[in-house]
Amino acid sequence: MTTNPLARTSPRITMLTARIDAETLAAFDVFAEGRGGRSAVLRQLIEQAAQANADAPRIERRETTATNRVSVRFTDVENAVLEHRASQRSTDRAGWIKALVRRHLGLKSRVDDGLIAELAPIRMQLLRIGRNLNQAMKAANASMLPDGDKQIGGELRRIADMRMEVSEQVAAVGDAMRGDTAYWAVAD
């Protein structure tokens, strides 16, 4: 029995559909022209994003699917404010309203996936800065003269202080990723 060697090595191909406005698509087509077209450029962008975020924390899926619907009506002004607030959180209006309600009901430990997606790369960069500061401290300690160069000692203290500040910021971003309750607090 013979097998097709290409069948074993070719990647499984799936389709991705995205809805965007016609103006954005036209601008993207201009960009993609001469670069292999829409599909090739999208594939490259997705692969680059996946590689760049390979070590980013993963966002967990919800345990259950929401099946109940609630209908609310808003004035034009309220709707505009909702749209604005949702865009600030990188989500849509419905997602923002759901996050707000879930926060007040106490049913969801995190605020929203948009916030986590924005904070994860910031946290990763802070961790990298902290590692670089650690390496700088080790290098400075290794090069320090036995008679104790006072100038290097002062710089080591500054690096140690920066390392502590970065650690505090990493912790603060981590806290925000787990649940930014201050954003949702409202007066009773």
Side-chain angles (χ1 to χ4, degrees):
M1 175 171 130
T2 357
T3 59
N4 179 353
L6 292 177
R8 287 179 295 181
T9 58
S10 63
R12 193 173 126 219
I13 304 294
T14 59
M15 173 102 57
L16 172 70
T17 303
R19 297 182 191 279
I20 58 175
D21 63 85
E23 193 173 300
T24 303
L25 181 58
F28 184 77
D29 283 341
V30 169
F31 172 77
E33 190 174 321
R35 291 180 173 88
R38 274 185 204 167
S39 186
V41 173
L42 278 173
R43 198 169 31 257
Q44 290 170 359
L45 290 172
I46 291 170
E47 288 170 358
Q48 288 171 358
Q51 288 173 355
N53 294 295
D55 58 349
R58 299 289 175 236
I59 299 170
E60 303 138 15
R61 292 187 182 271
R62 287 196 183 106
E63 298 85 35
T64 59
T65 304
T67 56
N68 299 306
R69 180 179 295 260
V70 175
S71 177
V72 293
R73 295 180 189 271
F74 296 103
T75 66
D76 290 340
V77 172
E78 291 169 333
N79 194 47
V81 171
L82 287 171
E83 289 288 344
H84 177 71
R85 293 279 177 93
S87 70
Q88 288 178 322
R89 305 294 280 193
S90 299
T91 188
D92 62 1
R93 186 179 54 203
W96 190 86
I97 293 169
K98 284 191 292 187
L100 177 64
V101 170
R102 287 177 176 154
R103 172 59 60 196
H104 281 274
L105 293 175
L107 297 177
K108 189 174 182 193
S109 61
R110 291 192 320 243
V111 175
D112 61 43
D113 295 340
L115 175 64
I116 291 173
E118 288 180 23
L119 290 176
I122 295 168
R123 186 172 186 274
M124 292 305 297
Q125 287 300 323
L126 285 170
L127 287 169
R128 288 181 183 125
I129 291 168
R131 284 187 210 116
N132 289 342
L133 288 171
N134 281 338
Q135 290 171 355
M137 291 261 317
K138 287 179 185 175
N141 279 326
S143 68
M144 206 161 155
L145 300 173
D147 60 355
D149 186 350
K150 299 214 183 289
Q151 186 177 7
I152 292 177
E155 295 302 316
L156 284 174
R157 280 190 294 282
R158 285 181 10 145
I159 292 173
D161 291 343
M162 284 188 275
R163 191 175 64 179
M164 286 301 296
E165 287 178 35
V166 168
S167 293
E168 290 169 4
Q169 295 305 315
V170 168
V173 172
D175 290 345
M177 289 174 71
R178 285 186 292 281
D180 179 20
T181 56
Y183 174 81
W184 301 105
V186 293
D188 287 332

